[in-house]
Amino acid sequence: MRTKQFKAESKKLLDMMINSIYTHKEIFLRELISNASDAIDKLYFRSLTDDSIPLTRGDYKIALAVDKENRLLTITDNGCGMTAEELEKNLGTIAKSGSLDFKRENETGEDVEVIGQFGVGFYSAFMVADHVTVESRAWGEETGSRWESSGAEGYTIEPCEMDWKGTRITLHLKDDTEDEKYSDFLEEYRLSELVKKYSDYIRYPITLSMPQYRPKAVPEGEEAPEKPEYETVWEETTLNSMVPLWRKQKSEVTQEEYNEFYKGKFYDYEDPAVVIHTRTEGNATFHALLFIPSHAPMNYYSTSYEKGLQLYSRGVLIMEKCADLLPDYFSFVRGLVDSEDLSLNISREMLQHDRQLQLIERALERRIKGELEKLLENDREKYEALWKEFGTQMTYGLCMDYGMHKDTLQDLQLFYSSTEKKLTTLKEYVGRMKEGQEAIYYGCGRTVEAIDALPQADQIKEAGYEMLYMTGQVDEFAIKTLREYDGKKFLNIRTDEIDLSTEEQKKALAEENEAAADLFAAMKEALGEKVHAVRFTDKLKSHPVCLSTEGGLSMEMEQTLNAMPGRENRFKADVVLELNPDHPVTAKLKEYAVTDKEKLADYAKLLYAEGCLIGGVPIEEPAELCRLITGLMER
Ligand code: ADP
């Protein structure tokens, strides 16, 4: 018998499989089972129109069996089978472009991980076996054929006796090594685990026959022997559950089942907060089962967290974490998508440009948004709990991509309100706006209390307006990206010009400012680069001083931006030292401006420090501040 050579590209892939150091060698089983399932599908469809095929749905199965002694694992199906020519064509060449694509990616240096992500087909058997036999008999054929190969040397095909139709693949497992215990693939627990993991939803039963060594049953009436006799019996168990939960009707699934499914699959100890079970037909046909967890995983806000949904193609898992299915701002969603339209052999590169996938992503995004909105409306407490866990991510989403996700995200945001003393939405805020109120006022700081104590908050409160407290690191950036909501501008109480005074008050202030030009100049000189200007303001009520900024950059943003690596001190806010003209301290300043310039300089520095402290801005020169305070006490 002549040994035939594999076609060139097949040989290359085969070599890779044989020498694979890939850690997920286990996927070979998924590949062989899904081939078997496809073969049954083919026969099943043929049987619908071909009366010579007497099988009905319940007759089909995929049987696994092991022979530990000889290190053999067999996978048998009663599907369409292959003729000798088909064996030659299918197993001697790589027909599918998917596998070729995979190879190309690999040659360009991309991680061999792709093996695990996409179908690599029949050859994956050589990751775990040093010899593979395929016996197959197609419907309509009198005999079967046997294909055999030990890998690189090529393969043989010869006729063989077969009294049944279908395909049996026999793997002779490689010898165990220090790193790889191939014999694990002969263990019931391992096979059952793998079927559960990758092939649980194959529509035909996947059975495992294992010899069980157990005491012989004692015939009725006979006495049990002192030493029980043992016998080996073959037992068959079905390993897969066949109907995936997500392919069932919603009405057939209980909340309990959803919860258990989620916890088991995603290793969470808490029930999910929201379950989204959906089936879509039309442009993209898919089933999706999504969960919003009740709490963020420990690593959620770190780079080690990977977003993504499991991706199935007709019940077969093809990707553990498909990131392209979820926008970043909903990265906390877990779950899976099962699409009818994706091929098992699709490559990562192709996946990224897959139109189906994009359609699915968009549909899921709309759905998640809708569910969150519903929750916000119907179960505020639950929504607020979720907001606490994942809100930062959704606020962050507002800043991303030049604010293009505004419509999706702005109504999901919650901020603490000065008047309501609880979290509120922008819509609710606008609904409460007073007559004549033109803007949405907000303050930024580390805590609600700190913002509340800001001198600039006084005028907003006195006017009876509501204020939002932005305590999150990205809040201010998000608001800056939004710029307005429902036609109402956002105004930062500390950085934006807020004009709540009457014409008369304005005129009086302008006059006072003009008269104090010398005082301001002297103070500015004492403070140097720290401030951009000094002036009176009428926004202060009880406080003598506050720091405000001009231009787009606030002191908080300055800090956040400068804290980024490589950006140290690149950003500088234009700080204005604003004084309360009616405060007793101002009278002192005016006095010292004439009598004691040195004292005035010290006071200017003290007031600047006071502004920093109350604004939550770190003091640059604490020693200098202490010296000034001590000096003051001595006097
Ligand atoms: P793919 O499944 O992506 O086509 P494979 O290398 O896994 O690539 O298989 C090549 C071909 O061999 C299949 O397309 C199918 O026609 C045939 N084949 C594989 N396994 C079986 C089987 N158990 N029964 C019938 N045909 C099979």
Side-chain angles (χ1 to χ4, degrees), residues 35-36 39 42 77 80-82 90-91 96 121-122 167 345:
N35 278 352
K42 278 185 209 157
D77 68 72
C80 63
M82 284 176 274
N90 292 336
L91 305 186
K96 282 272 178 89
F122 172 76
T167 305
N345 275 355

Side-chain angles (χ1 to χ4, degrees), residues 366-552:
R366 275 196 302 274
R367 202 45 217 271
I368 297 167
K369 173 183 182 239
E371 289 295 323
L372 287 170
E373 281 171 347
K374 244 197 280 175
L375 198 66
L376 178 62
E377 185 145 341
N378 304 331
D379 191 344
R380 186 64 173 245
E381 205 179 314
K382 202 165 175 184
Y383 185 82
E384 287 185 11
L386 280 185
W387 181 255
K388 224 174 100 205
E389 298 292 317
F390 307 115
T392 304
Q393 189 67 10
M394 289 192 265
T395 307
Y396 180 63
L398 276 179
C399 316
M400 288 185 324
D401 304 323
Y402 311 100
M404 69 180 270
H405 312 296
K406 171 178 127 185
D407 291 340
T408 310
L409 296 172
Q410 62 182 2
D411 284 321
L412 295 174
Q413 307 291 317
L414 291 182
F415 302 104
Y416 193 83
S417 149
S418 61
T419 54
E420 304 304 297
K421 305 285 178 219
K422 60 177 188 191
L423 293 170
T424 189
T425 64
L426 295 173
K427 199 182 226 156
E428 289 160 353
Y429 180 105
V430 169
R432 280 190 298 265
M433 275 170 74
K434 291 215 164 163
E435 211 171 293
Q437 181 182 350
E438 274 163 15
I440 302 172
Y441 299 105
Y442 71 97
C444 300
R446 218 143 346 135
T447 61
V448 165
E449 292 73 27
I451 301 168
D452 200 61
L454 285 174
Q456 292 95 330
D458 288 355
Q459 60 167 347
I460 309 292
K461 288 184 202 161
E462 201 174 80
Y465 294 155
E466 181 176 351
M467 200 170 80
L468 297 176
Y469 299 74
M470 310 271 159
T471 50
Q473 279 235 340
V474 289
D475 288 358
E476 193 176 359
F477 291 92
I479 294 301
K480 284 265 178 320
T481 315
L482 275 183
R483 291 209 297 272
E484 55 169 52
Y485 176 85
D486 196 14
K488 311 285 187 295
K489 271 212 314 217
F490 285 100
L491 290 182
N492 184 327
I493 60 165
R494 225 161 10 138
T495 59
D496 290 317
E497 205 169 313
I498 295 175
D499 183 9
L500 300 175
S501 342
T502 60
E503 285 308 310
E504 223 168 289
Q505 286 167 323
K506 267 186 239 175
K507 205 167 142 235
L509 183 66
E511 278 165 14
E512 269 183 291
N513 267 325
E514 215 167 296
D518 288 347
L519 168 68
F520 299 154
M523 290 179 77
K524 165 111 184 52
E525 200 187 312
L527 293 171
E529 289 288 292
K530 289 194 184 81
V531 299
H532 169 71
V534 181
R535 65 174 167 235
F536 286 138
T537 177
D538 54 11
K539 69 178 130 191
L540 295 175
K541 306 301 162 192
S542 55
H543 296 81
V545 69
C546 71
L547 297 179
S548 299
T549 47
E550 282 180 345

